[in-house]
Amino acid sequence: MRGTAAGPLPGVPYDVTVVGAGVVGSAIARELARHPHLDVALVEAQDDVGQGTSKANTAILHTGFDARPGTLEARLVREGARLLAAYAAQSGIPVEPVGALLVAWDQEQLAALPDLARKAVRNDCHDTARLDAAGLYAREPRLGPGALGALHVPGERIVCPWSTTLAYATQAVRGGVDLHLNTRVTGAGRRDGVHTLTTSRGPLHTRHLVNAAGLHADTLDRLLGHRTFTVTPRRGQLIVYDRLARDLVRHILLPVPTALGKGVLVTPTVYGNVLLGPTAEDLDDRTATQSTAQGLAALRAQGRRILPALLDEEVTAVYAGLRAATEHEDYRISAHPDQAYVTVGGIRSTGLSASLAIASHVTGLLRDSGLGLKDPVDLEPVRMPNLGAGFPRPHRQGGHVIVCHCEHVTLGEIRDALAGTIPPRSLPGLRRRTRAGAGRCQGFHCGATVRELFERAGRP
């Protein structure tokens, strides 16, 4: 079976079902695939993997230097960042070690830097360094006037989040996991040791259940009788600037963090452009991913202070994502052995960095809850198509037909994506896999050709 998007679901119970195919759920499914004696399902409400928070973030591979020491999040981000860096190198996922500068703009922020440096040490990040104003501007000469100093965190990196989620899910499916898309869970019950999930495609049965449902993790948790946290959608709006802005910034420029998050930052991306954002807006609507004039104006005001020349550059796109904030400062990962159930909730903006460590931790909780696990096997490696502007791309080798000239996407790259283990089921899904249509003209020139290729491949 391996991958389905329509029709009835199997009637025989799975050993484990993971609900939610974001970066965390896909990582858990991948880890479970290392135990080939298990029958595992990965269930996703939308038509592709990584469709929620995982597709709309700042694409930073965090060291965890500023996490609250002693928390589960601090440990898993620290471990996960190391694991993901090694995995990315093996799998062809672009990562750039640009480092970060935590910029102080007033005396209060400057006074907070020593505590942040000490926190970094407690989080096993020992290579931070204080910079005075002269040292800061030597590193970032286009920075706005008035900065007083910074904390340099050289271990912070930028990464491709779309390729990461897709790589996990691809390895999971190739390793034997059934991926069921368009399968929204609306009910749950358990009888005689078997969970029965009510879904938009009929019932699904499973002996063990993992809730990695992101923004809806508390909803599924309540269906199982638990009320330990509530998800508050926290919207983050971002502005994407053109590739011509890339030379303006050399590091990830971070503000001193607040209770609402890491604040508005300016960061290069592995795709060659520059991000400004995100906002941090607590909402009631778990579908409110639209950008707003007020939010974008606030970002531009912040950007004008951080990197004034950025505001003169062309905007390629704007987007918004929702983070699964809760009333707690830590991840909400817990096992319920009497129910053969594990909750993986409250995974905020650090979920990408921590994903592989979360997967290992959750698998351990399942084992402790009675899931029979044998010695894990190594999965066949995957090699993802490189989307990074700073890495060799097919168009540079010559002899290729270029379809998307803004992003230099070749015909072969599009065909490979359409024939992939988990092919796109929409044009945005194809864009995430290839960057076709994601550049300066937003598909104005290549859109008709890309659509024709998509439809010719038999995609809906």
Side-chain angles (χ1 to χ4, degrees):
M1 181 167 289
R2 301 303 170 245
T4 72
L9 299 169
V12 178
Y14 286 99
D15 293 314
V16 190
T17 294
V18 181
V19 178
V23 71
V24 171
S26 296
I28 295 169
R30 172 191 172 273
E31 184 65 24
L32 290 169
R34 299 180 63 214
H35 302 270
H37 65 285
L38 296 176
D39 289 325
V40 180
L42 177 60
V43 172
E44 168 57 42
Q46 300 192 64
D47 69 353
D48 201 359
V49 300
Q51 278 275 58
T53 302
S54 300
K55 75 173 182 182
N57 54 52
T58 51
I60 295 174
L61 179 50
H62 294 290
T63 59
F65 78 96
D66 58 348
R68 182 181 175 186
T71 59
L72 181 62
E73 180 179 17
R75 176 171 70 83
L76 295 181
V77 171
R78 182 170 65 246
E79 295 173 0
R82 295 167 183 162
L83 292 170
L84 181 49
Y87 180 83
Q90 179 189 55
S91 305
I93 298 168
V95 172
E96 290 187 44
V98 295
L101 294 170
L102 197 69
V103 180
W105 294 96
D106 57 40
Q107 290 295 335
E108 183 179 358
Q109 293 176 5
L110 189 67
L113 295 185
D115 283 342
L116 286 165
R118 286 188 286 270
K119 179 186 281 189
V121 171
R122 293 177 65 190
N123 285 321
D124 200 27
C125 183
H126 299 278
D127 57 354
T128 64
R130 290 279 305 279
L131 299 176
D132 61 14
L136 170 60
Y137 282 97
R139 287 183 173 273
E140 287 290 350
R142 308 300 292 270
L143 193 68
L148 304 180
L151 183 68
H152 182 214
V153 189
E156 296 281 291
R157 289 160 283 195
I158 53 178
V159 64
C160 176
W162 304 326
S163 295
T164 303
T165 304
L166 184 61
Y168 293 163
T170 297
Q171 273 194 301
V173 170
R174 290 181 181 175
V177 172
D178 287 350
L179 171 63
H180 298 301
L181 301 171
N182 296 325
T183 308
R184 183 175 300 278
V185 175
T186 58
R190 187 167 183 264
R191 181 177 180 182
D192 297 330
V194 175
H195 293 276
T196 297
L197 302 180
T198 304
T199 83
S200 53
R201 292 175 52 194
L204 184 144
H205 310 285
T206 186
R207 296 182 181 87
H208 290 261
L209 179 62
V210 177
N211 171 8
L215 290 165
H216 303 280
D218 59 335
T219 302
L220 180 53
D221 214 40
R222 281 162 170 71
L223 292 175
L224 274 296
H226 306 284
R227 295 181 175 274
T228 58
F229 67 96
T230 298
V231 169
T232 298
R234 181 166 293 162
R235 182 166 59 193
Q237 301 184 51
L238 296 107
I239 301 175
V240 184
Y241 285 90
D242 187 74
R243 288 171 177 245
L244 295 175
R246 178 62 183 85
D247 290 340
L248 295 177
V249 60
R250 301 172 182 175
H251 304 74
I252 303 164
L253 301 180
L254 298 171
V256 176
T258 69
L260 281 178
K262 299 182 185 298
V264 174
L265 56 87
V266 173
T267 179
T269 75
V270 294
Y271 317 116
N273 45 30
V274 177
L275 285 182
L276 170 63
T279 58
E281 311 158 57
D282 285 347
L283 307 173
D284 294 324
D285 186 353
R286 302 189 191 207
T287 64
T289 56
Q290 66 273 21
S291 299
T292 66
Q294 181 180 8
L296 297 179
L299 289 181
R300 288 177 58 85
Q302 293 269 22
R304 186 172 290 108
R305 181 186 193 187
I306 300 167
L307 202 69
L310 185 63
L311 276 295
D312 296 327
E313 299 294 329
E314 293 291 332
V315 172
T316 297
V318 298
Y319 68 93
L322 298 174
R323 309 191 287 280
T326 73
E327 67 272 39
H328 303 282
E329 291 188 50
D330 202 0
Y331 292 164
R332 311 315 297 166
I333 302 178
S334 57
H336 307 279
D338 58 320
Q339 291 180 299
Y341 169 61
V342 176
T343 303
V344 187
I347 312 299
R348 299 178 295 273
S349 57
T350 55
L352 171 63
S353 303
S355 54
L356 289 175
I358 292 172
S360 178
H361 180 67
V362 169
T363 303
L365 293 177
L366 287 168
R367 181 189 59 240
D368 295 342
S369 298
L371 178 64
L373 296 179
K374 300 177 182 178
D375 292 336
V377 302
D378 291 332
L379 297 174
E380 180 183 348
V382 293
R383 193 73 185 171
M384 303 306 293
N386 171 57
L387 301 182
F391 300 83
R393 293 283 303 278
H395 77 276
R396 295 179 180 174
Q397 300 168 9
H400 292 276
V401 176
I402 297 178
V403 175
C404 173
H405 287 267
C406 293
E407 293 295 313
H408 306 118
V409 182
T410 66
L411 177 61
E413 289 176 289
I414 293 174
R415 286 175 171 168
D416 287 346
L418 291 170
T421 301
I422 306 173
R425 300 186 61 80
S426 66
L427 290 173
L430 181 60
R431 183 170 64 242
R432 289 191 293 274
R433 286 161 173 80
T434 64
R435 300 282 297 164
R440 185 173 304 154
C441 80
Q442 289 290 287
F444 180 82
H445 291 287
C446 70
T449 302
V450 172
R451 177 177 290 278
E452 181 183 1
L453 291 168
F454 180 79
E455 293 175 349
R456 192 185 300 167
R459 299 286 156 240

